[in-house]
Amino acid sequence: MTVLTEGGAKRRSGYALRPPASLTLICLFAALAGAALIALTVGAAGIPLARLPAALGLWGDAAAGPSLARDQLVLWSIRIPRIGAAAMIGALLAASGAIMQGLFRNPLADPALVGVSSGGALAAAAAIVFTDSQIGQNFRFMQHQLLPIAAFAGSLATTVILYSIASRSGRTSIAIFLLAGIAIAAIANAGIGLLVFIADDRQLRDITFWLLGSLSGATWPKLATLAPVLGCAAIACLSIARGLDVLVLGEAEAFHSGVDVERLKRISIVLVSAMTGVAVSVCGIVGFIGIVVPHLLRLVIGPAHRLLLPASMLLGAVLLVGADTLARTIVAPAEMPIGILTAAIGAPFFLGMLLRQRGLVSL
C-alpha cells in the first residue's frame, strides 16, 4: 500500500491521485500570466500581441507606428490598473471564502453570507443617493473617493456589529455570528431596496451598476491600497492555515492539539471582513468567487489549508481577470457588470454542490 505524502504525487488505495503542491502553484501562476496576457491585448481598443512589447516599453521600435501612443495610453492608464485590481480582488475574495469554509467547517459558507458585502453595498448606495442632497453638496470635493470610502466604512461597521453580537466573555460564537450576519444582510438589503425606491434615474443606474459589480473604476491609487492589504492577508493566511486544518476535527480536538481556538476565530473573522470590505469598496459586490474557488480546488488538491489558501488566491485571481476580460469584450464598446458573469458561473456550481450533498448527482 502506497502512503500519500503531503505535496507528493503518491497515493494510497482508495484516495484520489493529487498533483504535487509545487506543480499546482506553478500551473496556477502560468494560468494567471496567460489570463493577464490575453486581458492586455483584447478589449474595445485591441492591441495586437506584436505591438505589446513596445507598448510596455520592453523591446521593439518605440518610435515606429502612430498607434504606439494610443497603445501606451490604453495599457498604462486603463488596462494594467484594471487587470491588477481584478487579480488582487479575486485573490482576496477567494481566500476569504476558503477561510470561512474552514472556520465554519462547511464548504457552502461564503463571505457574503455574514452580511459584510451587503453592509458595504448599503453604505455605497446611500452615498450615491445622498450625494445630490444639501448635505452631500458639502462633500463634492471628494466625490471620486466618497463611494469607496463609504463602502469600506459600511463593511467595517458591519464587522464591528457582528463581532459585538457574537462575542461574550471573551468567547466568540460562530453560530451566533452566522445567524446575526444573515439578519444584518436582510436589513441591509431592505435598506438598499428603500434607496432604490427613492433614487432618481441616474442614481438608480449607479446603484444597479455598483450592486452588480464593476472594475471600470480601477486606478493606480486603488491598486496602491489593495497591494498592502493583499500582502498582509497572505501572511495572515499562512499563519492560520495549521489552525484551520486542526479545527476540522472539532473545537475540542483543536484545543487539545494546542490551538487557541478563540484567537483563531477572532483573527479569521477580522481577516475575512477586512478582505471582503476592501474588495467591495473598489468594485462593488462580486459574488460566488469565494464559494466556487475553494471548493473546486479542494476537489483537486485536498483540504490542507497550507496549500488551499495560496492556491485559492491564485485561482481567484485567474477567474476574476478572465471574467473581467469577458465583461468588457463580449458587448464592446459597452461593458457588462462583472457580477452577472460570476453569478452565471457560480450559481449553477452552487446548485450542483447542493444536489451533490443531497446525493442526487456526483461531481
Side-chain angles (χ1 to χ4, degrees), residues 14 23 39 85 90 127 181 201 215 248 289 307 318-319 331 343 345 349:
L23 178 61
D201 289 343
L215 285 159
V248 173
I289 293 290
L307 177 60
V318 173
L319 286 185
V331 292
I345 298 170
F349 191 85

Side-chain angles (χ1 to χ4, degrees), residues 100-107 109 244 247-251:
M100 185 155 287
Q101 290 169 18
L103 188 64
F104 287 109
R105 301 188 291 280
N106 188 332
L244 291 175
L247 192 61
V248 173
L249 303 174
E251 292 189 17

Side-chain angles (χ1 to χ4, degrees), residues 308-333:
L308 180 65
L309 288 174
S312 294
M313 284 186 164
L314 288 171
L315 185 58
V318 173
L319 286 185
L320 203 56
V321 169
D324 182 57
T325 304
L326 282 176
R328 59 184 173 79
T329 53
I330 56 178
V331 292

Side-chain angles (χ1 to χ4, degrees), residues 183-360:
I184 288 178
I187 295 171
N189 288 332
I192 292 171
L194 177 62
L195 291 170
V196 167
F197 180 74
I198 64 176
D200 60 27
D201 289 343
R202 182 190 62 78
Q203 293 167 345
L204 184 59
R205 284 195 299 272
D206 291 343
I207 292 174
T208 302
F209 207 69
W210 179 267
L211 294 178
L212 294 177
S214 173
L215 285 159
S216 59
T219 58
W220 286 105
K222 290 180 180 177
L223 253 66
T225 302
L226 286 168
V229 174
L230 180 62
C232 295
I235 296 172
C237 284
L238 292 177
S239 70
I240 65 173
R242 178 185 171 276
L244 291 175
D245 286 339
V246 180
L247 192 61
V248 173
L249 303 174
E251 292 189 17
E253 289 78 2
F255 176 78
H256 291 297
S257 298
V259 175
D260 188 338
V261 177
E262 289 304 315
R263 181 172 177 270
L264 176 64
K265 288 179 186 177
R266 288 194 295 270
I267 293 175
S268 299
I269 290 169
V270 172
L271 186 59
V272 167
S273 302
M275 290 194 293
T276 307
V278 170
V280 170
S281 73
V282 175
C283 70
I285 294 180
V286 177
F288 291 104
I289 293 290
I291 193 169
V292 171
V293 170
H295 191 73
L296 189 61
L297 282 170
R298 208 176 281 111
L299 295 174
V300 178
I301 63 176
H305 287 83
R306 192 172 63 179
L307 177 60
L308 180 65
L309 288 174
S312 294
M313 284 186 164
L314 288 171
L315 185 58
V318 173
L319 286 185
L320 203 56
V321 169
D324 182 57
T325 304
L326 282 176
R328 59 184 173 79
T329 53
I330 56 178
V331 292
E335 180 179 320
M336 179 180 290
I338 194 171
I340 293 177
L341 288 174
T342 56
I345 298 170
F349 191 85
F350 184 77
L351 183 60
M353 289 166 56
L354 293 176
L355 294 176
R356 178 175 178 266
Q357 284 203 335
R358 299 289 294 174
L360 299 176

Side-chain angles (χ1 to χ4, degrees), residues 10-25:
K10 303 173 184 176
R11 69 172 180 176
R12 184 170 52 196
S13 177
Y15 285 73
L17 180 65
R18 289 169 180 162
S22 58
L23 178 61
T24 300
L25 295 178

